[in-house]
Amino acid sequence: MTAEQLGQIDKPSASQYMGKKILFLAPLLQQIASMPEEGEEILKEYWKEVDTQIDSLERGLGPVTQIYHEYIEEGGETGLEILRSTGVGSLGITESRCARGATFTDIEDRELLAATMDWELYLKQLLSFPFRSAAVVKHLHEWHTETIKARYDHMLESITDSLKVDEPGIIFISENHQLQFPADIQVFYVSPPALTDYKRWMESLQETLRTEAEASNNEGTDSEFKESENES
């Protein structure tokens, strides 16, 4: 598989990639609860630019016929309803292509997705505590590695089985995904300017929150020290 980043290549044409399976990869970006207005605006611009770049790719390579979405374990209208309930910015792109005849195809295994989410929400935090048994920690990590591999293997199988030659598809997936596409799938990485803008904004926000947390901890420590002095 070769991945090409839009903006670094000439406008593609169907003749260049005839006989190949074509996949447009658009990164799903991290969202936070109570998103500040500035972040919301950058995120809206990001999805607008993604839509524009996919339009450009479609003009050269043909209309999208398959749509895949990480974290959505159903396809068809049921899957669209789940996507609508999330409020993710990929919804508009997905609905517009489905209205033109594209198929919303599920790539997630329900049980493997649930296991992955359990790890992220609970088990990862649990491992921050000291365990008496190194064997338990080893088994947990091995289980996680096997689960992640099985999940991505299932995704890839779903994509390779449904994506047809000369009929482009879109996949919305996290940038840190572990999919290893086969050589017969030509991947176009959709990377609009707002992607960099959002990453910079998110890094700045995280640094601000980290600084505020450290300041709050220092204030708490100083307060406890003063109380201890007064008691003595």
Side-chain angles (χ1 to χ4, degrees), residues 185-200:
I185 296 182
Q186 177 69 51
V187 179
F188 291 87
Y189 182 76
V190 180
S191 179
L195 176 60
T196 300
D197 294 340
Y198 187 76
K199 287 179 178 179
R200 287 173 178 165

Side-chain angles (χ1 to χ4, degrees), residues 11-213:
K11 183 178 177 181
S13 65
S15 60
Q16 288 177 268
Y17 303 101
M18 191 173 295
K20 276 185 170 289
K21 295 181 177 182
I22 297 168
L23 189 63
F24 310 147
L25 191 155
L28 282 176
L29 301 185
Q30 177 187 359
Q31 292 183 251
I32 58 175
S34 303
M35 176 82 77
E37 184 176 349
E38 182 182 6
E40 288 280 7
E41 290 303 313
I42 297 173
L43 204 53
K44 287 178 183 177
E45 179 62 23
Y46 168 73
W47 287 114
K48 180 180 177 181
E49 291 177 5
V50 167
D51 196 9
T52 299
Q53 290 199 354
I54 290 174
D55 270 337
S56 178
L57 285 166
E58 287 182 295
R59 284 195 294 273
L61 298 169
V64 165
T65 63
Q66 292 285 342
I67 302 176
Y68 312 104
H69 206 295
E70 186 178 19
Y71 303 121
I72 307 298
E73 68 258 29
E74 297 284 349
E77 186 58 35
T78 302
L80 286 172
E81 284 299 326
I82 296 172
L83 184 58
R84 291 184 186 110
S85 71
T86 67
V88 176
S90 53
L91 175 62
I93 299 171
T94 301
E95 287 187 318
S96 66
R97 272 60 183 187
C98 286
R100 300 175 201 167
T103 301
F104 190 60
T105 301
D106 63 293
I107 55 173
E108 293 278 14
D109 176 273
R110 186 186 301 272
E111 185 59 33
L112 292 172
L113 176 60
T116 301
M117 300 305 292
D118 283 343
W119 173 271
E120 292 296 329
L121 294 173
Y122 309 114
L123 294 177
K124 185 188 291 185
Q125 285 78 4
L126 183 64
L127 286 173
S128 65
F129 294 96
F131 277 68
R132 293 180 182 273
S133 171
V136 171
V137 176
K138 181 174 180 288
H139 285 314
L140 282 172
H141 279 293
E142 287 176 347
W143 170 83
H144 177 243
T145 299
E146 291 169 2
T147 300
I148 291 297
K149 183 180 184 305
R151 178 177 175 235
Y152 283 115
D153 284 350
H154 177 82
M155 282 186 180
L156 192 58
E157 183 178 1
S158 299
I159 292 168
T160 54
D161 285 351
S162 58
L163 189 63
K164 305 303 180 186
V165 171
D166 300 328
E167 296 183 4
I170 307 172
I171 182 169
F172 299 103
I173 192 167
S174 307
E175 281 194 292
N176 62 349
H177 71 85
Q178 297 177 28
L179 286 176
Q180 297 293 320
F181 295 102
D184 67 334
I185 296 182
Q186 177 69 51
V187 179
F188 291 87
Y189 182 76
V190 180
S191 179
L195 176 60
T196 300
D197 294 340
Y198 187 76
K199 287 179 178 179
R200 287 173 178 165
W201 177 83
M202 183 62 75
E203 288 172 0
S204 176
L205 176 65
Q206 290 173 341
E207 180 60 32
T208 298
L209 294 175
R210 190 160 42 246
T211 301
E212 290 176 352

